Amino acid sequence: METNQLKRYSLECPGLPLAVYREIAAHLRQVEGVETGLTSQDAQQFDYAQSQVGSLWIQYSENLDPVDQQLIETILTYYSHRFGKWVKCP
C-alpha cells in the first residue's frame, strides 16, 4: 500500500494586503489537489504598514503532477513580480 505524503510550507510577502493574500489563495486552490490557508499576524503592535496576514500556507501531495507543481510556481512568481519577494517561513 502506497502512502501519500503531504508537502506543506508557508510563505510571506511583507506588506502584502489581506485581499491580495486571499486572491492568491483562491488561485492556488484552483490547482487540483492543492489546499491553502492564511495564518494570522502575530505582531505585538498594530502597524498600518504591516499585512494583516502572517503567512500563506500551501499543502499538496508529494505525488502532485509536475505540471501542477509548475503551475503553483507560476502563480507565486506572478504575484512576486507585482508585490515583492516571497519569504519562506520557518
Side-chain angles (χ1 to χ4, degrees):
M1 177 183 232
E2 184 178 322
T3 22
N4 203 2
Q5 296 292 330
L6 295 177
K7 180 176 182 177
R8 182 175 174 148
Y9 58 95
S10 296
L11 302 169
E12 66 177 316
C13 182
L16 191 66
L18 172 62
V20 179
Y21 268 112
R22 286 181 173 168
E23 181 179 317
I24 296 165
H27 282 156
L28 290 169
R29 281 193 297 270
Q30 291 177 1
V31 178
E32 189 171 338
V34 175
E35 296 180 38
T36 65
L38 305 176
T39 61
S40 299
Q41 175 60 260
D42 60 359
Q44 299 297 319
Q45 298 280 338
F46 179 78
D47 182 353
Y48 280 105
Q50 285 193 347
S51 176
Q52 296 168 294
V53 174
S55 66
L56 165 75
W57 60 263
I58 303 167
Q59 178 176 293
Y60 53 87
S61 166
E62 287 185 345
N63 299 330
L64 187 68
D65 187 300
V67 172
D68 290 332
Q69 290 181 27
Q70 181 57 49
L71 185 53
I72 293 168
E73 291 305 314
T74 300
I75 292 167
L76 293 173
T77 299
Y78 173 86
Y79 284 97
S80 73
H81 282 87
R82 278 144 190 80
F83 297 101
K85 183 178 178 182
W86 289 105
V87 178
K88 202 161 199 170
C89 299

